[in-house]
Amino acid sequence: MFKYYGNLVGFAAFKKHISLFPMGSELIVKMKNELKKYETTKGSIHFPLDKPLPVTLIKKIVKARIKENEARTKKNR
């Protein structure tokens, strides 16, 4: 689990995939076109172990989560 103004993203390795947890379903819904190559659930994105990780996509997800957390923190102040 990585934190930045609250929970940012988490990850876990499984037998056939690595899951990225963007801490909610909003981002998965917003990025559905970019994520269509990957299996998703309500709260996770699955990256297969037999393919390279999509580093650019993961960076984009993390940056989006940073913006969400900063906006939420600013709103709550």
Side-chain angles (χ1 to χ4, degrees):
M1 175 77 60
F2 294 91
K3 295 183 178 201
Y4 177 77
Y5 291 113
N7 292 334
L8 187 62
V9 295
F11 71 93
F14 296 92
K15 190 173 185 177
K16 295 184 180 180
H17 69 275
I18 294 173
S19 287
L20 179 69
F21 303 97
M23 302 299 131
S25 60
E26 285 184 36
L27 192 64
I28 294 171
V29 172
K30 286 179 188 176
M31 297 182 72
K32 69 179 179 182
N33 288 332
E34 294 170 87
L35 298 172
K36 63 185 172 188
K37 293 193 296 184
Y38 306 100
E39 183 180 339
T40 60
T41 66
K42 189 174 180 178
S44 68
I45 305 159
H46 299 179
F47 300 110
L49 290 177
D50 62 346
K51 297 196 166 104
L53 285 173
V55 176
T56 304
L57 177 61
I58 293 170
K59 285 181 183 180
K60 187 173 183 176
I61 292 167
V62 171
K63 287 179 181 180
R65 287 289 299 129
I66 287 170
K67 286 183 180 183
E68 288 177 356
N69 282 7
E70 287 175 342
R72 186 188 69 247
T73 299
K74 186 175 180 180
K75 181 181 172 186
N76 291 334
R77 287 187 180 179

